[in-house]
Amino acid sequence: MANYIVCLAHFCELHGPTIIICTQITTKQFLQDNLLSSNSRLANCASCQLLLPNSSVNLTTPLKSSDDAEESTYTCVSTHYPASSKRYSALTKLVMKSLSVETTSELSKPMFYGDAINGYCINQIFKIEDVNARGGERKYSLMVVSDDEFELLNNWDILLIYLSEIINLIQKKVVDKNLKTEAELSYNGDGGATNGNVLDNERFLRRSLIKPKSLTELTDDDDIFVKFHLLATELLKDINK
């Protein structure tokens, strides 16, 4: 079985390219080796944080090797970053390339790059609107990394379906949140419409307050990373059949 990692990263205005969450499959034997301890949280800004329900550090989903199996053979694990220092180093280099070096003229088109040392990657860049970000938008990278170039490319079509589904989920939630915020700004406390100049001033002031924001705040969904984990788990199940 090829080793895969599904990773969501972003370009932080304070810290540069940063891993937010990564999901991988491990066996029961090595499960503990792939979990992060409760004191392993990195000191980073809100944009870089992995905020999970109940202040959890890891998300796990047991997987059966077949429908007939009585016990789970594998487990999908989502963490802020890989517990393995070797994988962390390799993934960090791929994230740096994704958000700083490798480019494509159209964001809708995925990219493939990598090498035998750090692994191979299918990557798709996407952006979301946020008035509190520089330029009014935040840049993210959704990646599937593998140590097997042939297996990764052989699953190209399946991977693109899942990448699109995850990106659409995030972008739709952000759009819905922004529309809700705009609607709230359009009306005053008495239920009447806000004066156009007042509304424009409010938007200007919000744009001038550049600040880090977690994806949970941007999507208005405290479970957005849980949903990412579940979709990444389904992706890994499909390509490891």
Side-chain angles (χ1 to χ4, degrees):
M1 179 189 295
N3 291 313
Y4 287 97
I5 297 178
V6 183
C7 172
L8 178 66
H10 82 126
F11 191 92
C12 177
E13 295 169 354
L14 299 177
H15 304 104
T18 306
I19 302 167
I20 300 178
I21 183 173
C22 60
T23 306
Q24 55 191 318
I25 290 181
T26 184
T27 60
K28 292 177 65 175
Q29 179 183 358
F30 296 104
L31 175 58
Q32 292 301 318
D33 294 336
N34 287 281
L35 298 178
L36 297 179
S37 62
S38 57
N39 59 359
S40 62
R41 297 180 184 273
L42 296 176
N44 47 29
C45 67
S47 296
C48 301
Q49 289 179 352
L50 172 60
L51 300 178
L52 300 175
N54 303 317
S55 300
S56 300
V57 179
N58 309 287
L59 291 172
T60 60
T61 299
L63 301 175
K64 294 181 179 180
S65 57
S66 66
D67 294 336
D68 298 330
E70 294 183 0
E71 294 186 2
S72 302
T73 308
Y74 303 99
T75 300
C76 261
V77 179
S78 286
T79 53
H80 186 16
Y81 54 87
S84 163
S85 58
K86 182 179 179 181
R87 285 194 174 185
Y88 175 76
S89 175
L91 184 58
T92 298
K93 291 175 182 176
L94 291 172
V95 167
M96 289 286 291
K97 281 189 175 183
S98 169
L99 290 163
S100 301
V101 181
E102 302 291 340
T103 59
T104 178
S105 58
E106 294 184 35
L107 289 182
S108 60
K109 292 185 177 180
M111 296 182 291
F112 171 79
Y113 59 91
D115 55 57
I117 298 175
N118 296 310
Y120 302 92
C121 172
I122 292 177
N123 159 74
Q124 188 151 354
I125 302 293
F126 67 98
K127 296 180 180 180
I128 58 176
E129 292 185 3
D130 177 27
V131 294
N132 293 129
R134 185 171 285 108
E137 61 184 18
R138 297 184 187 271
K139 185 178 180 182
Y140 291 82
S141 172
L142 185 56
M143 313 164 62
V144 180
V145 178
S146 176
D147 56 358
D148 191 319
E149 180 181 10
F150 175 79
E151 284 293 326
L152 185 65
L153 291 175
N154 196 43
N155 286 302
W156 178 275
D157 291 338
I158 298 175
L159 293 176
L160 293 193
I161 292 173
Y162 277 101
L163 293 183
S164 296
E165 186 173 355
I166 294 172
I167 292 171
N168 289 339
L169 169 69
I170 294 172
Q171 289 182 326
K172 184 179 185 304
K173 284 187 171 292
V174 172
V175 169
D176 291 344
K177 164 70 182 308
N178 290 341
L179 289 175
K180 179 182 177 182
T181 302
E182 286 293 316
E184 291 172 351
L185 286 174
S186 299
Y187 292 90
N188 57 36
D190 299 326
T194 302
N195 178 277
N197 291 331
V198 174
L199 183 58
D200 288 340
N201 289 337
E202 177 70 19
R203 288 170 178 160
F204 174 78
L205 290 172
R206 289 171 64 219
R207 287 191 180 96
S208 65
L209 296 174
I210 295 175
K211 65 177 183 179
K213 283 185 183 178
S214 168
L215 205 54
T216 56
E217 181 180 358
L218 292 167
T219 58
D220 196 25
D221 186 351
D222 291 339
D223 293 325
I224 189 64
F225 290 120
V226 176
K227 293 170 183 175
F228 174 92
H229 167 78
L230 294 175
L231 284 170
T233 297
E234 289 301 316
L235 182 160
L236 292 171
K237 283 171 60 178
D238 271 1
I239 61 178
N240 279 293
K241 287 181 178 178

